[in-house]
Amino acid sequence: MSTAAHSATVTVTGHLMDTGILARILDDVLEYGGDYRIDKLDLGRQHLDESRALVEISAHEAELLDRILMRVQVHGANPVDPGTALTRPAPSDGVFPDDFYSTTNLETLVRLDRDWIRVRQPEMDCGLVVTDEDGGTVVRTVPVSDVRAGDAVVCGAHGVRVELPAQAPRGEEDDFGFMSSAVSSEKPQALLVRQIADRMRDVKAAGKRILWVGGPAVVHTGAAPAMVRLVRAGYVDVLFAGNALATHDIESALFGTSLGVDLAKGSGVPHGHEHHIRAINTIRAAGSIRAAVEKGVLTGGVMHAMVEAGKPFVLVGSVRDDGPLPDVHTDVIEGQRAMRAELPDVGFAIMVATMLHSIATGNILPASIPLVSVDINPATVTKLADRGSAQAMGIITDIGLFLEQLARELAPE
């Protein structure tokens, strides 16, 4: 054991051995330059029983210890003696104090004086700001771009604890838990689709919303009609995408092509490469996607279905975009804010054929929201999990086939 001058004891409870949580905590302590001693380990005697560990973590500097304590909270490890949270004023707009508490996406509570206050809308890689609202104290996550000079920012690791989502022991998961094993293309897809369909029905029955994050392959693979059926059946409550999905969906509705390829014949058409920019120009002339629908200019496709159903969509662009469409947020910070504004009441998220938008959405989602990523590229799914969205479950498959099967389950023709 190190003779480091600064130490704290953390506790963690759950299925520590079969999920590997304890090993990940110890690895992170060493990786950050600290040391540990396991003071107590109560192992569950049967696979249904939870285990509990007390681990003393030490470091040579108080600041390093705080960083380690913040890090291991990602795994649900909380200090035995959490103390009371310390706040400092933000020194200027867009800048946190140096020792700000860096958040996880887990359910988080902050102790101010003697009371624990639950943080609103947990999100990773943000700060915690304490405010007064309607006569009460509120703690909310705030991205660094949105903090304002003088805001009371929680600093250090004291007075903060997190809660892991409930986890069933291995072998006791519900049907949906079948998906939570390692990403693989060899799982029976029909079963996975049925499980997702069942979960989506449950979410809707509970009064929650379903968030979709989509890429242009939804259109390129010819799956847009299946997506339209899902929108009309009420299983798409909000859509996050980029300029590309909306543009090629509108190109398909106006010209019957995607990237200049005839979707009915699979062959190129004369001057088809121009169709996407002509589609953008048509919508810009109308003023917006909604205006194009209301004027009868746009009469089909996913975006038309979203407008007709009265469902919100958030389109956020990138430096490579043509046009873009008038609805696209070209300021990515404004785009993030628009995405965050649509997260309340979301109970399930499904991400199809998009890496950048999937990771961006995963970064702002609480860990308590189940998340499924569907892509032909295994790297998309694994990167999403590696970036901190530990709740992500993956399906490696062709997005066209997947959406057709899901539409047959939820919105049979």
Side-chain angles (χ1 to χ4, degrees):
M1 180 65 188
S2 168
T3 58
H6 304 277
S7 65
T9 301
V10 300
T11 179
V12 60
T13 302
H15 298 284
L16 306 182
M17 309 308 289
D18 51 2
T19 61
I21 291 174
L22 183 58
R24 291 196 292 273
I25 290 171
L26 304 183
D27 285 345
D28 282 349
V29 171
L30 296 178
E31 182 178 338
Y32 271 60
D35 205 344
Y36 67 83
R37 181 179 67 198
I38 298 176
D39 288 339
K40 189 174 184 180
L41 179 57
D42 294 327
L43 290 176
R45 294 181 179 274
Q46 299 180 4
H47 80 288
L48 291 176
D49 299 334
E50 291 188 333
S51 302
R52 180 172 181 264
L54 289 174
V55 182
E56 182 183 1
I57 298 173
S58 59
H60 290 285
E61 298 176 359
E63 181 180 352
L64 176 59
L65 178 63
D66 274 355
R67 288 186 60 208
I68 296 172
L69 294 177
M70 292 183 206
R71 174 59 191 174
V72 298
Q73 279 192 321
V74 171
H75 309 299
N78 292 297
V80 172
D81 181 13
T84 302
L86 169 70
T87 64
R88 303 186 199 277
S92 58
D93 290 354
V95 179
F96 290 138
D98 288 342
D99 59 344
F100 75 97
Y101 176 86
S102 179
T103 59
T104 72
N105 59 0
L106 301 173
E107 292 294 323
T108 305
L109 297 97
V110 175
R111 185 159 74 180
L112 302 167
D113 295 327
R114 299 176 62 182
D115 298 324
W116 286 99
I117 300 173
R118 190 169 293 275
V119 172
R120 291 184 176 179
Q121 198 67 29
E123 179 181 336
M124 71 176 73
D125 301 329
C126 289
L128 296 173
V129 170
V130 181
T131 58
D132 290 325
E133 187 173 307
D134 298 328
T137 302
V138 171
V139 184
R140 54 192 175 89
T141 52
V142 174
V144 67
S145 58
D146 288 359
V147 72
R148 293 294 171 259
D151 283 351
V153 180
V154 174
C155 294
H158 298 290
V160 182
R161 64 182 174 90
V162 300
E163 297 175 347
L164 284 175
Q167 292 181 315
R170 185 171 296 177
E172 298 296 322
E173 305 95 336
D174 59 18
D175 289 341
F176 194 66
F178 170 76
M179 297 176 54
S180 62
S181 59
V183 172
S184 172
S185 61
E186 298 181 352
K187 297 178 182 179
Q189 182 169 307
L191 174 60
L192 298 180
V193 171
R194 285 197 299 272
Q195 290 174 352
I196 292 174
D198 288 342
R199 177 55 65 94
M200 293 171 78
R201 292 188 189 100
D202 291 343
V203 169
K204 296 296 292 182
K208 296 289 188 178
R209 300 197 301 162
I210 298 174
L211 165 65
W212 285 73
V213 185
V218 170
V219 182
H220 303 334
T221 59
M227 185 82 174
V228 168
R229 285 160 53 196
L230 291 167
V231 173
R232 291 175 175 167
Y235 287 100
V236 184
D237 293 300
V238 58
L239 172 65
F240 292 171
N243 185 62
L245 183 149
T247 293
H248 293 297
D249 173 67
I250 293 167
E251 175 193 344
S252 172
L254 295 179
F255 301 105
T257 61
S258 177
L259 287 176
V261 175
D262 188 318
L263 289 173
K265 299 178 181 179
S267 59
V269 299
H271 307 293
H273 65 281
E274 302 175 1
H275 286 177
H276 79 284
I277 196 65
R278 295 191 180 279
I280 291 171
N281 192 60
T282 299
I283 302 303
R284 291 177 73 91
S288 68
I289 295 173
R290 176 174 296 279
V293 173
E294 293 171 347
K295 294 175 182 179
V297 174
L298 181 62
T299 59
V302 175
M303 303 312 298
H304 171 271
M306 293 294 290
V307 172
E308 287 282 281
K311 300 298 184 181
F313 52 86
V314 180
L315 307 178
V316 183
S318 69
V319 71
R320 64 190 178 189
D321 286 341
D322 293 321
L325 290 164
D327 302 79
V328 172
H329 292 274
T330 55
D331 182 328
V332 294
I333 300 300
E334 289 299 326
Q336 290 175 359
R337 291 171 183 152
M339 292 165 67
R340 289 187 182 98
E342 293 297 340
L343 295 185
D345 296 324
V346 167
F348 185 77
I350 180 166
M351 304 177 176
V352 290
T354 172
M355 178 181 290
L356 296 181
H357 276 78
S358 291
I359 292 173
T361 305
N363 285 351
I364 66 174
L365 281 177
S368 57
I369 297 179
L371 159 56
V372 172
S373 175
V374 186
D375 204 288
I376 197 69
N377 182 4
T380 299
V381 181
T382 54
K383 282 186 179 181
L384 185 62
D386 290 344
R387 289 294 296 267
S389 300
Q391 80 273 35
M393 303 173 184
I395 301 177
I396 309 302
T397 189
D398 175 78
I399 193 62
L401 298 176
F402 171 82
L403 283 175
E404 287 287 349
Q405 290 178 325
L406 187 62
R408 281 199 293 270
E409 287 284 337
L410 293 172
E413 292 181 285

